[in-house]
Amino acid sequence: GVSGIFVSIPDPVVAEAVAACLTLGTRVMSINAGIDASLELGLLHHIGMVEENAGYAAGVKMAEMATIEMSYCINQFPDLPVLGQRCAGFAKAMEDLDLQHGGQIIVPNDNSLLFTRTVEEEIARDGDWSGIAVLISGASAVPEALELKRQRSGLD
């Protein structure tokens, strides 16, 4: 049998499965996402970050690196609590730094054209995007975001 597993816990459905493993005596260590679930389940170890703190740190670093007139957080999986937590931390950093924040932009994770259109409609600015700062909340949105950055000069 299985004596132990490593698992990321991005949402409650996975947490339920982890709880079932625990009742079977399987040792579980959480990695990456799910520190809150890890604590609730009584897991011995979690390797990862506190998502809200990570979003906050990203916002502070972004503000150090660029002049921000307006900021947004792109979330391609709004049903995953961890991405919402990252975006909340980013929003808090913008608030604490007295910078404008336009909120989350919810984008599809499987349609590049709709991703671009959604972001462009939300930002609603023609031409140069200097002063616009965007946090990508998850890795799967990076290719589309980089393409958008290539198309829109000034986007940080």
Side-chain angles (χ1 to χ4, degrees), residues 26-92:
T26 304
R27 289 174 279 196
V28 179
M29 181 181 290
S30 61
I31 58 172
N32 190 19
I35 191 168
D36 294 336
S38 175
L39 294 170
E40 288 174 19
L41 291 164
L43 302 184
L44 294 177
H45 298 287
H46 175 80
I47 301 169
M49 62 188 164
V50 178
E51 303 297 338
E52 193 164 338
N53 293 352
Y56 190 93
V60 169
K61 186 65 173 177
M62 195 178 290
E64 291 172 2
M65 297 174 65
T67 301
I68 298 174
E69 295 172 16
M70 179 60 78
S71 65
Y72 299 90
C73 184
I74 292 180
N75 187 342
Q76 73 279 20
F77 293 108
D79 295 333
L80 289 182
V82 295
L83 298 188
Q85 292 165 0
R86 284 182 206 158
C87 286
F90 182 71
K92 178 70 171 135

Side-chain angles (χ1 to χ4, degrees), residues 103-125:
Q104 289 188 50
I105 300 175
I106 306 300
V107 297
N109 70 326
D110 59 355
N111 186 321
S112 296
L113 292 175
L114 190 53
F115 176 103
T116 300
R117 185 171 5 145
T118 301
V119 173
E120 288 177 335
E121 288 174 357
E122 191 70 32
I123 292 175
R125 183 196 264 183

